Amino acid sequence: RGTESSLHLCPNAAFQDTCNHAYVPGVVCSATPPISLRLVDGANSHEGRLEIMFNGVWGTVDDSTFHNHPEFAAVICRQLGFPSAHATVMKGSRYGSGVGPRYAFK
């Protein structure tokens, strides 16, 4: 499907040694560096205000981003290593307003 967080979770990923090196795939990944994310001021490690590092500076993500893209919550949870099936956006500064710059996704 392409939404799995690891190759071993793909439904059709059954591996065996075929001893045939004529058919070796290549992969081209995006040259964009990974985005550093963190959740802060939550009751535990899997909830909190979303912060993003941009140009070496941690800042708070504006929640207006999520009004149009609630699916971002699932992607963020996966990137942070958490299950994403029940990812939820908590709007309205529930975890504080943060300090530093405010970032919005375009």
Side-chain angles (χ1 to χ4, degrees):
R1 294 181 328 230
T3 58
E4 296 79 9
S5 62
S6 178
L7 188 59
H8 78 277
L9 298 174
C10 294
N12 296 321
F15 300 101
Q16 65 181 3
D17 185 359
T18 63
C19 296
N20 185 347
H21 294 280
Y23 302 102
V24 179
V27 175
V28 176
C29 298
S30 171
T32 304
I35 297 171
S36 294
L37 304 175
R38 66 184 182 187
L39 299 175
V40 297
D41 293 338
N44 52 55
S45 65
H46 62 271
E47 67 176 64
R49 181 179 62 255
L50 177 63
E51 292 188 347
I52 184 171
M53 183 179 281
F54 183 71
N55 289 332
V57 178
W58 284 105
T60 302
V61 175
D62 190 287
D63 76 348
S64 64
T65 298
F66 294 94
H67 291 292
N68 296 325
H69 300 285
E71 70 277 8
F72 282 3
V75 174
I76 289 162
C77 288
R78 280 196 304 274
Q79 182 172 339
L80 292 171
F82 299 115
S84 61
H86 301 288
T88 304
V89 174
M90 305 302 283
K91 298 177 186 172
S93 299
R94 179 181 207 160
Y95 301 105
S97 59
V99 295
R102 290 186 74 82
Y103 300 123
F105 293 101
K106 292 184 178 183

